[in-house]
Amino acid sequence: GAGVSQSPSNKVTEKGKDVELRCDPISGHTALYWYRQSLGQGLEFLIYFQGNSAPDKSGLPSDRFSAERTGGSVSTLTIQRTQQEDSAVYLCASSLRADNSPLHFGNGTRLTVT
Amino acid sequence: AQKVTQAQTEISVVEKEDVTLDCVYETRDTTYYLFWYKQPPSGELVFLIRRNSFDEQNEISGRYSWNFQKSTSSFNFTITASQVVDSAVYFCALSRMNTGFQKLVFGTGTRLLVSP
């Protein structure tokens, strides 16, 4: 079956522009996560969704970052007024249940802010 | 605070050699999960194993084995008879058990290069 799909795979944007990153989780997976992978910070948790609500958004670096999930499925991570330090690979993962199922990761979106 | 340390940045071996990837963790929790993930060049993180803090039994899966020792806070990963396809970055991770979801704290990863 299909895995976690992320789009775009690559995004280059100018500093100050807004970007939207999309994640299509595996069908039926109730839990969805966003992680970020950067050279400076490694792999770090951003936000967790259970259904359409986000019980833990403690990893979002600033208020320029927001995310939503609709229909218990697709999620969008939005970064406003991008900065060069936002350059990273943004990884989405989903799992069948929140606590007990392995995370299935997508291939990520590589964001470059120039 | 939780922390995972993978001191080996990069390891190079020749095919068929055995290799051990080290992972040391820090947590004040008494219950937690430990994980290993593989990240091949394609970029997708692939789940390998999850162990809970109650179970210190070592685990073997084919050429892969894991050694969990609470006394030394270590969860090491051994690949026996390595193959070129094992070349990847391997991440060790930790999460709390009582949150109800998987908020992973990752180590910095170990890049494994297996040459023919």
Side-chain angles (χ1 to χ4, degrees), chain B residues 11 13-17 19 38-41 63-64 79-90 111-116:
Chain B
I11 301 175
V13 299
V14 178
E15 212 170 15
K16 297 185 184 176
E17 284 186 29
V19 58
K38 173 182 180 180
Q39 188 174 42
R63 295 184 297 108
Y64 295 170
I79 302 174
T80 302
S82 59
Q83 300 176 1
V84 173
V85 293
D86 296 327
S87 296
V89 181
Y90 291 86
R111 181 178 300 278
L112 175 64
L113 299 172
V114 182
S115 55

PDB file of all heavy atoms in Angstrom, chain B residues 11 13-17 19 38-41 63-64 79-90 111-116:
ATOM      1  N   ILE B  11      31.138   5.281  10.671  1.00  0.00           N
ATOM      2  CA  ILE B  11      31.878   4.021  10.744  1.00  0.00           C
ATOM      3  C   ILE B  11      31.999   3.463   9.335  1.00  0.00           C
ATOM      4  O   ILE B  11      31.004   3.418   8.602  1.00  0.00           O
ATOM      5  CB  ILE B  11      31.158   2.990  11.635  1.00  0.00           C
ATOM      6  CG1 ILE B  11      30.976   3.518  13.060  1.00  0.00           C
ATOM      7  CG2 ILE B  11      31.915   1.667  11.643  1.00  0.00           C
ATOM      8  CD1 ILE B  11      30.153   2.588  13.947  1.00  0.00           C
ATOM      9  N   VAL B  13      33.214   0.040   7.240  1.00  0.00           N
ATOM     10  CA  VAL B  13      33.587  -1.376   7.328  1.00  0.00           C
ATOM     11  C   VAL B  13      33.589  -1.961   5.935  1.00  0.00           C
ATOM     12  O   VAL B  13      33.043  -1.386   4.981  1.00  0.00           O
ATOM     13  CB  VAL B  13      32.621  -2.170   8.233  1.00  0.00           C
ATOM     14  CG1 VAL B  13      32.642  -1.624   9.664  1.00  0.00           C
ATOM     15  CG2 VAL B  13      31.219  -2.187   7.668  1.00  0.00           C
ATOM     16  N   VAL B  14      34.179  -3.120   5.845  1.00  0.00           N
ATOM     17  CA  VAL B  14      34.161  -3.881   4.607  1.00  0.00           C
ATOM     18  C   VAL B  14      33.079  -4.936   4.730  1.00  0.00           C
ATOM     19  O   VAL B  14      32.838  -5.475   5.821  1.00  0.00           O
ATOM     20  CB  VAL B  14      35.535  -4.527   4.341  1.00  0.00           C
ATOM     21  CG1 VAL B  14      35.504  -5.369   3.075  1.00  0.00           C
ATOM     22  CG2 VAL B  14      36.608  -3.448   4.232  1.00  0.00           C
ATOM     23  N   GLU B  15      32.433  -5.204   3.642  1.00  0.00           N
ATOM     24  CA  GLU B  15      31.357  -6.188   3.626  1.00  0.00           C
ATOM     25  C   GLU B  15      31.765  -7.460   4.375  1.00  0.00           C
ATOM     26  O   GLU B  15      32.911  -7.904   4.305  1.00  0.00           O
ATOM     27  CB  GLU B  15      31.012  -6.535   2.173  1.00  0.00           C
ATOM     28  CG  GLU B  15      29.562  -6.867   1.948  1.00  0.00           C
ATOM     29  CD  GLU B  15      29.202  -6.969   0.480  1.00  0.00           C
ATOM     30  OE1 GLU B  15      30.118  -7.069  -0.356  1.00  0.00           O
ATOM     31  OE2 GLU B  15      27.991  -6.931   0.186  1.00  0.00           O
ATOM     32  N   LYS B  16      30.800  -8.009   5.105  1.00  0.00           N
ATOM     33  CA  LYS B  16      30.907  -9.240   5.896  1.00  0.00           C
ATOM     34  C   LYS B  16      31.498  -9.003   7.283  1.00  0.00           C
ATOM     35  O   LYS B  16      31.488  -9.932   8.105  1.00  0.00           O
ATOM     36  CB  LYS B  16      31.688 -10.334   5.168  1.00  0.00           C
ATOM     37  CG  LYS B  16      31.024 -10.784   3.881  1.00  0.00           C
ATOM     38  CD  LYS B  16      31.752 -11.952   3.234  1.00  0.00           C
ATOM     39  CE  LYS B  16      31.098 -12.306   1.902  1.00  0.00           C
ATOM     40  NZ  LYS B  16      31.821 -13.377   1.187  1.00  0.00           N
ATOM     41  N   GLU B  17      31.980  -7.796   7.528  1.00  0.00           N
ATOM     42  CA  GLU B  17      32.433  -7.500   8.890  1.00  0.00           C
ATOM     43  C   GLU B  17      31.223  -7.292   9.789  1.00  0.00           C
ATOM     44  O   GLU B  17      30.149  -6.879   9.349  1.00  0.00           O
ATOM     45  CB  GLU B  17      33.276  -6.222   8.917  1.00  0.00           C
ATOM     46  CG  GLU B  17      34.684  -6.359   8.408  1.00  0.00           C
ATOM     47  CD  GLU B  17      35.474  -5.076   8.616  1.00  0.00           C
ATOM     48  OE1 GLU B  17      35.200  -4.321   9.569  1.00  0.00           O
ATOM     49  OE2 GLU B  17      36.368  -4.819   7.807  1.00  0.00           O
ATOM     50  N   VAL B  19      29.550  -5.108  12.872  1.00  0.00           N
ATOM     51  CA  VAL B  19      29.711  -3.728  13.323  1.00  0.00           C
ATOM     52  C   VAL B  19      28.685  -3.432  14.415  1.00  0.00           C
ATOM     53  O   VAL B  19      27.535  -3.889  14.342  1.00  0.00           O
ATOM     54  CB  VAL B  19      29.565  -2.735  12.138  1.00  0.00           C
ATOM     55  CG1 VAL B  19      28.225  -2.887  11.451  1.00  0.00           C
ATOM     56  CG2 VAL B  19      29.797  -1.306  12.588  1.00  0.00           C
ATOM     57  N   LYS B  38      16.528   3.536  10.688  1.00  0.00           N
ATOM     58  CA  LYS B  38      17.516   3.556   9.612  1.00  0.00           C
ATOM     59  C   LYS B  38      17.103   4.605   8.591  1.00  0.00           C
ATOM     60  O   LYS B  38      15.924   4.688   8.231  1.00  0.00           O
ATOM     61  CB  LYS B  38      17.576   2.172   8.947  1.00  0.00           C
ATOM     62  CG  LYS B  38      18.453   2.090   7.703  1.00  0.00           C
ATOM     63  CD  LYS B  38      18.397   0.679   7.116  1.00  0.00           C
ATOM     64  CE  LYS B  38      19.257   0.565   5.864  1.00  0.00           C
ATOM     65  NZ  LYS B  38      19.219  -0.808   5.289  1.00  0.00           N
ATOM     66  N   GLN B  39      18.058   5.414   8.142  1.00  0.00           N
ATOM     67  CA  GLN B  39      17.776   6.406   7.117  1.00  0.00           C
ATOM     68  C   GLN B  39      18.696   6.160   5.922  1.00  0.00           C
ATOM     69  O   GLN B  39      19.839   6.597   5.918  1.00  0.00           O
ATOM     70  CB  GLN B  39      17.946   7.826   7.649  1.00  0.00           C
ATOM     71  CG  GLN B  39      17.474   8.897   6.663  1.00  0.00           C
ATOM     72  CD  GLN B  39      17.515  10.296   7.252  1.00  0.00           C
ATOM     73  OE1 GLN B  39      18.459  10.666   7.941  1.00  0.00           O
ATOM     74  NE2 GLN B  39      16.483  11.088   6.983  1.00  0.00           N
ATOM     75  N   PRO B  40      18.206   5.448   4.912  1.00  0.00           N
ATOM     76  CA  PRO B  40      19.005   5.219   3.710  1.00  0.00           C
ATOM     77  C   PRO B  40      19.119   6.509   2.911  1.00  0.00           C
ATOM     78  O   PRO B  40      18.490   7.511   3.251  1.00  0.00           O
ATOM     79  CB  PRO B  40      18.207   4.147   2.958  1.00  0.00           C
ATOM     80  CG  PRO B  40      16.811   4.300   3.459  1.00  0.00           C
ATOM     81  CD  PRO B  40      16.882   4.836   4.856  1.00  0.00           C
ATOM     82  N   PRO B  41      19.907   6.509   1.856  1.00  0.00           N
ATOM     83  CA  PRO B  41      20.089   7.735   1.056  1.00  0.00           C
ATOM     84  C   PRO B  41      18.789   8.333   0.537  1.00  0.00           C
ATOM     85  O   PRO B  41      18.730   9.530   0.275  1.00  0.00           O
ATOM     86  CB  PRO B  41      20.987   7.252  -0.088  1.00  0.00           C
ATOM     87  CG  PRO B  41      21.767   6.121   0.505  1.00  0.00           C
ATOM     88  CD  PRO B  41      20.811   5.429   1.436  1.00  0.00           C
ATOM     89  N   ARG B  63      20.181 -10.611  10.738  1.00  0.00           N
ATOM     90  CA  ARG B  63      21.562 -10.192  10.972  1.00  0.00           C
ATOM     91  C   ARG B  63      21.655  -9.070  12.012  1.00  0.00           C
ATOM     92  O   ARG B  63      22.747  -8.631  12.357  1.00  0.00           O
ATOM     93  CB  ARG B  63      22.174  -9.709   9.646  1.00  0.00           C
ATOM     94  CG  ARG B  63      22.316 -10.778   8.572  1.00  0.00           C
ATOM     95  CD  ARG B  63      23.013 -10.256   7.326  1.00  0.00           C
ATOM     96  NE  ARG B  63      22.248  -9.186   6.669  1.00  0.00           N
ATOM     97  CZ  ARG B  63      22.595  -7.916   6.684  1.00  0.00           C
ATOM     98  NH1 ARG B  63      23.685  -7.511   7.339  1.00  0.00           N
ATOM     99  NH2 ARG B  63      21.868  -7.003   6.044  1.00  0.00           N
ATOM    100  N   TYR B  64      20.498  -8.603  12.454  1.00  0.00           N
ATOM    101  CA  TYR B  64      20.455  -7.496  13.407  1.00  0.00           C
ATOM    102  C   TYR B  64      20.262  -8.021  14.823  1.00  0.00           C
ATOM    103  O   TYR B  64      19.470  -8.939  15.051  1.00  0.00           O
ATOM    104  CB  TYR B  64      19.290  -6.550  13.101  1.00  0.00           C
ATOM    105  CG  TYR B  64      19.352  -5.811  11.783  1.00  0.00           C
ATOM    106  CD1 TYR B  64      18.238  -5.098  11.334  1.00  0.00           C
ATOM    107  CD2 TYR B  64      20.481  -5.803  10.998  1.00  0.00           C
ATOM    108  CE1 TYR B  64      18.268  -4.395  10.140  1.00  0.00           C
ATOM    109  CE2 TYR B  64      20.522  -5.104   9.801  1.00  0.00           C
ATOM    110  CZ  TYR B  64      19.410  -4.399   9.372  1.00  0.00           C
ATOM    111  OH  TYR B  64      19.441  -3.699   8.192  1.00  0.00           O
ATOM    112  N   ILE B  79      25.178  -5.239  13.699  1.00  0.00           N
ATOM    113  CA  ILE B  79      24.873  -5.848  12.406  1.00  0.00           C
ATOM    114  C   ILE B  79      25.950  -6.897  12.153  1.00  0.00           C
ATOM    115  O   ILE B  79      27.159  -6.579  12.144  1.00  0.00           O
ATOM    116  CB  ILE B  79      24.868  -4.812  11.267  1.00  0.00           C
ATOM    117  CG1 ILE B  79      23.843  -3.707  11.548  1.00  0.00           C
ATOM    118  CG2 ILE B  79      24.570  -5.491   9.929  1.00  0.00           C
ATOM    119  CD1 ILE B  79      23.870  -2.561  10.536  1.00  0.00           C
ATOM    120  N   THR B  80      25.510  -8.106  11.960  1.00  0.00           N
ATOM    121  CA  THR B  80      26.430  -9.218  11.708  1.00  0.00           C
ATOM    122  C   THR B  80      26.567  -9.411  10.203  1.00  0.00           C
ATOM    123  O   THR B  80      25.574  -9.322   9.477  1.00  0.00           O
ATOM    124  CB  THR B  80      25.878 -10.498  12.356  1.00  0.00           C
ATOM    125  OG1 THR B  80      25.699 -10.265  13.763  1.00  0.00           O
ATOM    126  CG2 THR B  80      26.826 -11.668  12.153  1.00  0.00           C
ATOM    127  N   ALA B  81      27.787  -9.677   9.773  1.00  0.00           N
ATOM    128  CA  ALA B  81      28.032  -9.927   8.342  1.00  0.00           C
ATOM    129  C   ALA B  81      27.421  -8.799   7.507  1.00  0.00           C
ATOM    130  O   ALA B  81      26.532  -9.016   6.687  1.00  0.00           O
ATOM    131  CB  ALA B  81      27.481 -11.278   7.937  1.00  0.00           C
ATOM    132  N   SER B  82      27.918  -7.595   7.705  1.00  0.00           N
ATOM    133  CA  SER B  82      27.352  -6.411   7.064  1.00  0.00           C
ATOM    134  C   SER B  82      27.349  -6.545   5.537  1.00  0.00           C
ATOM    135  O   SER B  82      28.170  -7.257   4.942  1.00  0.00           O
ATOM    136  CB  SER B  82      28.143  -5.170   7.474  1.00  0.00           C
ATOM    137  OG  SER B  82      29.500  -5.300   7.104  1.00  0.00           O
ATOM    138  N   GLN B  83      26.387  -5.840   4.944  1.00  0.00           N
ATOM    139  CA  GLN B  83      26.237  -5.843   3.492  1.00  0.00           C
ATOM    140  C   GLN B  83      26.200  -4.394   3.003  1.00  0.00           C
ATOM    141  O   GLN B  83      25.876  -3.483   3.764  1.00  0.00           O
ATOM    142  CB  GLN B  83      24.950  -6.572   3.090  1.00  0.00           C
ATOM    143  CG  GLN B  83      24.897  -8.019   3.526  1.00  0.00           C
ATOM    144  CD  GLN B  83      23.562  -8.681   3.182  1.00  0.00           C
ATOM    145  OE1 GLN B  83      22.682  -8.066   2.596  1.00  0.00           O
ATOM    146  NE2 GLN B  83      23.427  -9.958   3.551  1.00  0.00           N
ATOM    147  N   VAL B  84      26.481  -4.214   1.735  1.00  0.00           N
ATOM    148  CA  VAL B  84      26.487  -2.864   1.159  1.00  0.00           C
ATOM    149  C   VAL B  84      25.143  -2.170   1.377  1.00  0.00           C
ATOM    150  O   VAL B  84      25.079  -0.967   1.637  1.00  0.00           O
ATOM    151  CB  VAL B  84      26.851  -2.910  -0.333  1.00  0.00           C
ATOM    152  CG1 VAL B  84      26.689  -1.539  -0.983  1.00  0.00           C
ATOM    153  CG2 VAL B  84      28.284  -3.418  -0.530  1.00  0.00           C
ATOM    154  N   VAL B  85      24.062  -2.943   1.334  1.00  0.00           N
ATOM    155  CA  VAL B  85      22.720  -2.362   1.501  1.00  0.00           C
ATOM    156  C   VAL B  85      22.489  -1.841   2.923  1.00  0.00           C
ATOM    157  O   VAL B  85      21.505  -1.148   3.170  1.00  0.00           O
ATOM    158  CB  VAL B  85      21.609  -3.366   1.150  1.00  0.00           C
ATOM    159  CG1 VAL B  85      21.620  -3.698  -0.314  1.00  0.00           C
ATOM    160  CG2 VAL B  85      21.708  -4.611   1.992  1.00  0.00           C
ATOM    161  N   ASP B  86      23.380  -2.196   3.831  1.00  0.00           N
ATOM    162  CA  ASP B  86      23.249  -1.676   5.195  1.00  0.00           C
ATOM    163  C   ASP B  86      23.762  -0.241   5.312  1.00  0.00           C
ATOM    164  O   ASP B  86      23.588   0.398   6.350  1.00  0.00           O
ATOM    165  CB  ASP B  86      24.032  -2.552   6.185  1.00  0.00           C
ATOM    166  CG  ASP B  86      23.481  -3.959   6.285  1.00  0.00           C
ATOM    167  OD1 ASP B  86      22.252  -4.133   6.140  1.00  0.00           O
ATOM    168  OD2 ASP B  86      24.289  -4.897   6.496  1.00  0.00           O
ATOM    169  N   SER B  87      24.394   0.252   4.268  1.00  0.00           N
ATOM    170  CA  SER B  87      24.914   1.618   4.291  1.00  0.00           C
ATOM    171  C   SER B  87      23.752   2.601   4.458  1.00  0.00           C
ATOM    172  O   SER B  87      22.822   2.623   3.659  1.00  0.00           O
ATOM    173  CB  SER B  87      25.676   1.926   2.998  1.00  0.00           C
ATOM    174  OG  SER B  87      26.821   1.116   2.877  1.00  0.00           O
ATOM    175  N   ALA B  88      23.843   3.394   5.509  1.00  0.00           N
ATOM    176  CA  ALA B  88      22.753   4.313   5.855  1.00  0.00           C
ATOM    177  C   ALA B  88      23.183   5.090   7.094  1.00  0.00           C
ATOM    178  O   ALA B  88      24.242   4.851   7.664  1.00  0.00           O
ATOM    179  CB  ALA B  88      21.461   3.549   6.150  1.00  0.00           C
ATOM    180  N   VAL B  89      22.327   6.012   7.497  1.00  0.00           N
ATOM    181  CA  VAL B  89      22.506   6.663   8.793  1.00  0.00           C
ATOM    182  C   VAL B  89      21.532   6.002   9.754  1.00  0.00           C
ATOM    183  O   VAL B  89      20.353   5.821   9.429  1.00  0.00           O
ATOM    184  CB  VAL B  89      22.246   8.177   8.715  1.00  0.00           C
ATOM    185  CG1 VAL B  89      22.471   8.820  10.085  1.00  0.00           C
ATOM    186  CG2 VAL B  89      23.156   8.820   7.672  1.00  0.00           C
ATOM    187  N   TYR B  90      22.027   5.639  10.910  1.00  0.00           N
ATOM    188  CA  TYR B  90      21.210   4.954  11.904  1.00  0.00           C
ATOM    189  C   TYR B  90      21.012   5.862  13.110  1.00  0.00           C
ATOM    190  O   TYR B  90      21.971   6.431  13.640  1.00  0.00           O
ATOM    191  CB  TYR B  90      21.873   3.639  12.340  1.00  0.00           C
ATOM    192  CG  TYR B  90      21.868   2.603  11.245  1.00  0.00           C
ATOM    193  CD1 TYR B  90      22.888   2.575  10.293  1.00  0.00           C
ATOM    194  CD2 TYR B  90      20.834   1.677  11.149  1.00  0.00           C
ATOM    195  CE1 TYR B  90      22.884   1.640   9.271  1.00  0.00           C
ATOM    196  CE2 TYR B  90      20.821   0.732  10.131  1.00  0.00           C
ATOM    197  CZ  TYR B  90      21.846   0.727   9.196  1.00  0.00           C
ATOM    198  OH  TYR B  90      21.827  -0.198   8.179  1.00  0.00           O
ATOM    199  N   ARG B 111      26.615   7.380  10.756  1.00  0.00           N
ATOM    200  CA  ARG B 111      26.634   7.026   9.332  1.00  0.00           C
ATOM    201  C   ARG B 111      27.474   5.771   9.159  1.00  0.00           C
ATOM    202  O   ARG B 111      28.652   5.752   9.533  1.00  0.00           O
ATOM    203  CB  ARG B 111      27.204   8.158   8.494  1.00  0.00           C
ATOM    204  CG  ARG B 111      27.231   7.867   6.991  1.00  0.00           C
ATOM    205  CD  ARG B 111      27.767   9.055   6.206  1.00  0.00           C
ATOM    206  NE  ARG B 111      26.954  10.252   6.404  1.00  0.00           N
ATOM    207  CZ  ARG B 111      25.837  10.512   5.749  1.00  0.00           C
ATOM    208  NH1 ARG B 111      25.408   9.679   4.824  1.00  0.00           N
ATOM    209  NH2 ARG B 111      25.165  11.619   5.988  1.00  0.00           N
ATOM    210  N   LEU B 112      26.878   4.738   8.596  1.00  0.00           N
ATOM    211  CA  LEU B 112      27.572   3.471   8.363  1.00  0.00           C
ATOM    212  C   LEU B 112      27.838   3.325   6.866  1.00  0.00           C
ATOM    213  O   LEU B 112      26.909   3.407   6.056  1.00  0.00           O
ATOM    214  CB  LEU B 112      26.735   2.284   8.855  1.00  0.00           C
ATOM    215  CG  LEU B 112      27.299   0.896   8.546  1.00  0.00           C
ATOM    216  CD1 LEU B 112      28.630   0.688   9.275  1.00  0.00           C
ATOM    217  CD2 LEU B 112      26.301  -0.197   8.925  1.00  0.00           C
ATOM    218  N   LEU B 113      29.095   3.158   6.534  1.00  0.00           N
ATOM    219  CA  LEU B 113      29.485   2.929   5.143  1.00  0.00           C
ATOM    220  C   LEU B 113      30.033   1.517   5.020  1.00  0.00           C
ATOM    221  O   LEU B 113      31.027   1.173   5.679  1.00  0.00           O
ATOM    222  CB  LEU B 113      30.558   3.940   4.717  1.00  0.00           C
ATOM    223  CG  LEU B 113      30.138   5.411   4.777  1.00  0.00           C
ATOM    224  CD1 LEU B 113      31.341   6.318   4.527  1.00  0.00           C
ATOM    225  CD2 LEU B 113      29.044   5.692   3.772  1.00  0.00           C
ATOM    226  N   VAL B 114      29.389   0.703   4.213  1.00  0.00           N
ATOM    227  CA  VAL B 114      29.835  -0.665   4.001  1.00  0.00           C
ATOM    228  C   VAL B 114      30.338  -0.758   2.568  1.00  0.00           C
ATOM    229  O   VAL B 114      29.575  -0.554   1.612  1.00  0.00           O
ATOM    230  CB  VAL B 114      28.702  -1.681   4.228  1.00  0.00           C
ATOM    231  CG1 VAL B 114      29.225  -3.098   4.047  1.00  0.00           C
ATOM    232  CG2 VAL B 114      28.091  -1.496   5.614  1.00  0.00           C
ATOM    233  N   SER B 115      31.599  -1.055   2.424  1.00  0.00           N
ATOM    234  CA  SER B 115      32.178  -1.140   1.089  1.00  0.00           C
ATOM    235  C   SER B 115      32.339  -2.606   0.674  1.00  0.00           C
ATOM    236  O   SER B 115      32.514  -3.479   1.532  1.00  0.00           O
ATOM    237  CB  SER B 115      33.520  -0.414   1.045  1.00  0.00           C
ATOM    238  OG  SER B 115      34.381  -0.916   2.042  1.00  0.00           O
ATOM    239  N   PRO B 116      32.249  -2.842  -0.627  1.00  0.00           N
ATOM    240  CA  PRO B 116      32.336  -4.229  -1.114  1.00  0.00           C
ATOM    241  C   PRO B 116      33.737  -4.810  -0.933  1.00  0.00           C
ATOM    242  O   PRO B 116      34.710  -4.099  -0.766  1.00  0.00           O
ATOM    243  CB  PRO B 116      32.001  -4.112  -2.613  1.00  0.00           C
ATOM    244  CG  PRO B 116      31.652  -2.711  -2.869  1.00  0.00           C
ATOM    245  CD  PRO B 116      31.993  -1.866  -1.678  1.00  0.00           C
TER     246      PRO B 116
END
